[in-house]
Amino acid sequence: MARMISVIGGENASPEAVRLAEEVGRELARRGAVVVCGGGSGVMEGVCRGARQAGGHTIGILPGHNAQESPPNPWVEFPIYTGLGYARNSMVVLSGEAVIAIDGAYGTLSEIAYALIYGIPIVGLDTWEFRYSNHNPTGIVRVQDPLEAVELALRLAEERRASQGGGS
């Protein structure tokens, strides 16, 4: 079964964040992983574009009820309309075996929180940093480049699957 990796990040991302996302998408596709994201613009569009251009598959979990309400970016292969608004963020995170966070606004922050709550490994590439008492700052493993992000996310997904008795 193919690995499913969730990629989260800002809708109004900078050109640099979109470029990083595109590289992440390309690398995930080259390794046979399926990209799961929120299906919109910015980081989501970049990761989907990179994955599809490299022959990979993309799933967009969208906030609206239909394509008129929530048009997916042109690189989403499989759109899923939830009608849930931001509540769909839990679905984006829970659908992946690991999460790569790139850039991001408050929606991304909520997705990071879901990943931390449910123990899904998170790899951070130029994303949120926060501190508060009793928080384990190693919850987000920080990396510097897209290749490192993909390699680490896939390794953490494999370790998580093995620890849950899922094998490969």
Side-chain angles (χ1 to χ4, degrees):
M1 179 169 71
R3 294 275 177 258
M4 290 177 56
I5 303 296
S6 298
V7 179
I8 60 175
E11 188 172 46
N12 298 310
S14 70
E16 175 62 11
V18 173
R19 183 192 67 75
L20 291 172
E22 193 168 329
E23 288 184 41
V24 164
R26 240 187 324 277
E27 290 301 324
L28 285 169
R30 287 181 184 145
R31 288 164 173 75
V34 174
V35 168
V36 179
C37 71
S41 61
V43 164
M44 297 169 280
E45 185 168 352
V47 73
C48 288
R49 180 174 46 246
R52 294 295 292 147
Q53 287 178 341
H57 300 289
T58 59
I59 298 169
I61 301 177
L62 293 135
H65 294 91
N66 53 48
Q68 291 71 39
E69 190 177 318
S70 280
N73 73 62
W75 304 97
V76 170
E77 184 177 16
F78 301 105
I80 298 171
Y81 301 98
T82 66
L84 296 173
Y86 282 112
R88 67 79 152 86
N89 289 356
S90 65
M91 295 173 65
V92 172
V93 170
L94 290 170
S95 295
E97 296 175 83
V99 173
I100 298 174
I102 305 168
D103 188 62
Y106 293 124
T108 304
L109 181 58
S110 76
E111 289 166 321
I112 289 169
Y114 282 122
L116 291 169
I117 289 166
Y118 291 108
I120 298 169
I122 311 169
V123 176
L125 183 59
D126 192 27
T127 193
W128 282 88
E129 292 188 38
F130 46 89
R131 299 183 204 287
Y132 59 91
S133 62
N134 299 321
H135 167 67
N136 177 0
T138 61
I140 302 173
V141 183
R142 307 275 172 192
V143 296
Q144 299 302 313
D145 66 75
L147 180 60
E148 186 182 9
V150 168
E151 289 173 348
L152 182 57
L154 290 171
R155 191 186 84 214
L156 293 171
E158 182 63 35
E159 289 171 4
R160 181 170 179 248
R161 185 182 277 192
S163 74
Q164 294 175 336
S168 43

